Structures are given as C-alpha cells and as structure tokens.
Amino acid sequence: MRVLLLGSGGFLGRYVAEHLLADPAVQLTALGRGDDADVRFDLSNGSPGALTRFLNAVHPGVVINCAGATRGGARELTRHNTVAVATVCESLRRSGCGARLVQIGCSSEYGPSQPGSSTAEDAVPRPGGPYGVSKLAATELVLGSGLDAVVLRVFSPVGPGTPAGSPLGRLAEAMRRAMQSGESELKLSGLGVQRDFVDVRDVARAVHAASLSAAQGVVNIGSGRAVRLREAASVLARVAGFGGALHEIDGPPGRGGPHHAAAAGVHVPAPAHPHGAAHGHATAHGHAPAHPQAASEHGGGPGGAGSATTYPYPDGCGSWQQADVRTARDRLGWRSRIPLEESLADIWMEAACRI
C-alpha cells in the first residue's frame, strides 16, 4: 500500500510515520515543510495544481493529513488548518490516483460539553475559539468533497514528544524547574478541568486502522474516560518523585489549599469499557492550542519566591470532555491501550533529560 503522509514532522505525524514504517506492506512517502520530509511542500501556500502533479506521479492509495497549526491568530489558523485542507481535497479531486483521505481533526471542533456526558460524532459542533473553528471548517470541506474520506477527531493526545507549550508539557517543565531549583511548592491553576487523554501511539494505531478500513465520516479517537487535570498533575508528580506540595490557586472550596504530591494517592482510572461509559449526545478537543501566556514562571510570578506557577487548560472547551468511542471500536476495530500513567511517565522522562 502506497501512503502519502502530510505533516510527518509534527507531534502526531512523527508517530504515524513510525507506525506505518513498521508495516512491511506500506510504502511511505512523507511530504512536509521540514528537512526530514521526503518532499518539501507547504500546504498552506502551495497550489492544488502542484500537489495534483505530485499525486499523479506518486499515485498513493492513501493520503494521511496530519499537517496543521495549533497556535496563532485566526488568519494563520485558517490558512494552515482550512485553506491547506481545501488544497488537499481539490488536488485529490483533480488527480487520477483515487486515493483514500484520512484527515486528522480534533475535539475542539465540538466545543464545550455537558459534564458527565460522552460526546458522539453526531453532536452539533459549537467550537469555542478560532482553532476549533478552523478545524471544523476543514472537516466540513472533507465531508463535502465527495472523496473516499474519514476524519478522525482526536481528543487530548499525550505521551512522548508532547509539545512543551501544551498544558501537560508546561506542567512537566514547571515541575522539572521546581525540582532543579529546590522549590518546595508548585502553584497550579485550572486543575478542575477534565479531559479525555489518549496516547499519541494509540492515535497512530487508529490512523493506520482508518487507512485500511472503509469507514467514512467522522470517528472519535479517545480513551472514553475523562480525567481531571488535578489527578494527572498528582500522577506526574508521583512518577517524577516530586516531594513538594501542589498548590491549586483557583481550586474549588475545600480543594484550593496545598497538598503534598507524594501523598496525594490519586487514582487515574483506566479507559472505560465501551459499554461502561455514559453515552450522551452533548457537545465535547484534541490538540490543545498553546496559550500565548502559557510559559511557566518563577520567583517574581504570582507564586512569589520559592514557588513555580503554571496556567490553565487553554483550549476553550469548558470544564469537561469525554469521547464516545463506540464508532472507533465498531468501524475501525480500535480502542486505546496505553494507560495515562505510562503516557505521563514518558512525558516526564523527556523533561527529566533537561535537568
């Protein structure tokens, strides 16, 4: 199977490439802006004609689009996430290759959801910011293209390579700096948010499965279980060996004071069995865009001397996200395998290498 991978240099694209290269039946060509791509091409500026000529030359059976942007203003996000996908769709329509398209979407397209609900693919999208809007517009272009196509709405991807500007990446970096400087307290905010975290390696398996399947439309990719960011922070502290206190500066009544990370004993649930989750038709993100003021601060920041501060989850999707993953199970034969604690341990190992 000949596969053309767009965006192979990104967080998701790297693991998709690695997974596909492990399959001896796959002949992979990577197209992107970086030097590591087999062919350099900028989707946001390239013409459909140029990409069509390349498609006709390579003649892939599957095109996987992992390219896109998670930060920037509305114009930049639209150019990278929407215009680029319009270029891909138009090129595939003009080409005679007849390739199947696997588009990577995200759960930011859904917008805020009702706490306790599981968001199914037929939920009405109400994105809460320009990133979600740009990704939703891309999804609509794909669905209306008439191509053999599927959109994977990835919830909150984590694991090795998690971007330093993402919420969990910033948390790991803040914890590393606190440990390196001997600080006894880490001040955090936004820990009441609950997200459906899914390991990036599981996402890569889902992309491979979608490439081989006949599924069309939208398919959610998540664990099927929301986890409070407070619990993820405590688990990260435990695997890091951080013995100081995690102080939640905007926590709910009775939970806002400091507690010792090593003694927190927080249990992160394993992904729910598909029949065990609550399946609602609410609205529910995938790649959390980095907040422009999301860098961790020390000393002179809100935490004062001897503490480190990090900032809230910046995806504009409210307090709750949980995927209904039954479609992925039924149509792709896929479910998540890697527990969150393993993903967090891998994030910490990368952060610890910078100590």
Side-chain angles (χ1 to χ4, degrees):
M1 177 175 66
R2 290 180 179 173
V3 176
L4 176 62
L5 175 61
L6 312 176
S8 60
F11 174 42
L12 296 181
R14 290 196 301 272
Y15 285 94
V16 171
E18 182 179 300
H19 188 83
L20 293 173
L21 287 170
D23 183 350
V26 171
Q27 300 175 43
L28 181 66
T29 300
L31 184 149
R33 292 180 292 174
D35 293 335
D36 55 345
D38 297 317
V39 178
R40 295 191 67 176
F41 187 84
D42 186 348
L43 283 175
S44 63
N45 293 318
S47 71
L51 184 55
T52 299
R53 290 190 292 274
F54 182 74
L55 289 170
N56 287 334
V58 176
H59 211 78
V62 177
V63 174
I64 299 170
N65 185 22
C66 296
T70 60
R71 66 182 70 190
R75 178 176 296 181
E76 186 177 4
L77 291 168
T78 299
R79 184 163 62 89
H80 287 282
N81 295 337
T82 310
V83 175
V85 172
T87 297
V88 173
C89 291
E90 180 61 24
S91 301
L92 284 168
R93 279 195 296 263
R94 295 182 187 182
S95 170
C97 68
R100 172 171 172 78
L101 174 61
V102 179
Q103 167 70 16
I104 304 302
C106 72
S107 60
S108 287
E109 299 173 42
Y110 288 121
S113 60
Q114 183 66 32
S117 68
S118 293
T119 301
E121 291 83 356
D122 59 356
V124 177
R126 295 187 177 90
Y131 174 66
V133 170
S134 69
K135 293 294 288 185
L136 177 60
T139 291
E140 295 300 329
L141 286 171
V142 171
L143 298 181
S145 67
L147 299 169
D148 174 15
V150 63
V151 178
L152 303 183
R153 275 190 179 145
V154 179
F155 277 62
S156 296
V158 295
T162 294
S166 70
L168 288 177
R170 293 197 310 273
L171 177 59
E173 177 62 13
M175 198 168 290
R176 179 194 70 80
R177 291 182 179 181
M179 294 176 70
Q180 189 171 17
S181 60
E183 294 170 354
S184 60
E185 185 178 36
L186 186 61
K187 293 194 174 185
L188 308 167
S189 63
L191 295 187
V193 166
Q194 297 184 67
R195 291 293 179 263
D196 188 330
F197 297 105
V198 58
D199 193 278
V200 63
R201 292 159 290 191
D202 282 333
V203 174
R205 286 194 306 105
V207 172
H208 193 187
S211 301
L212 300 172
S213 78
Q216 295 190 337
V218 175
V219 179
N220 288 339
I221 302 299
S223 69
R225 177 64 65 90
V227 173
R228 198 176 302 275
L229 196 56
R230 182 185 304 119
E231 298 174 357
S234 293
V235 173
L236 185 61
R238 187 172 70 243
V239 300
F242 178 66
L246 301 181
H247 184 85
E248 190 172 354
I249 60 178
D250 62 350
R255 297 293 297 273
H259 64 278
H260 285 281
V266 176
H267 171 64
V268 176
H273 189 278
H275 296 295
H279 299 292
H281 293 295
T283 54
H285 164 68
H287 329 294
H291 191 281
Q293 297 177 332
S296 57
E297 297 180 357
H298 301 277
S307 65
T309 305
T310 191
Y311 294 89
Y313 216 96
D315 58 17
C317 289
S319 64
W320 172 275
Q321 289 180 344
Q322 180 171 282
D324 182 332
V325 294
R326 290 176 294 179
T327 301
R329 178 200 64 194
D330 296 341
R331 297 171 64 188
L332 303 182
W334 176 93
R335 66 180 65 192
S336 64
R337 294 176 182 171
I338 299 175
L340 179 57
E341 185 159 356
E342 182 176 338
S343 303
L344 292 171
D346 289 335
I347 291 173
W348 174 249
M349 284 298 294
E350 291 187 338
C353 289
R354 297 191 289 271
I355 293 181

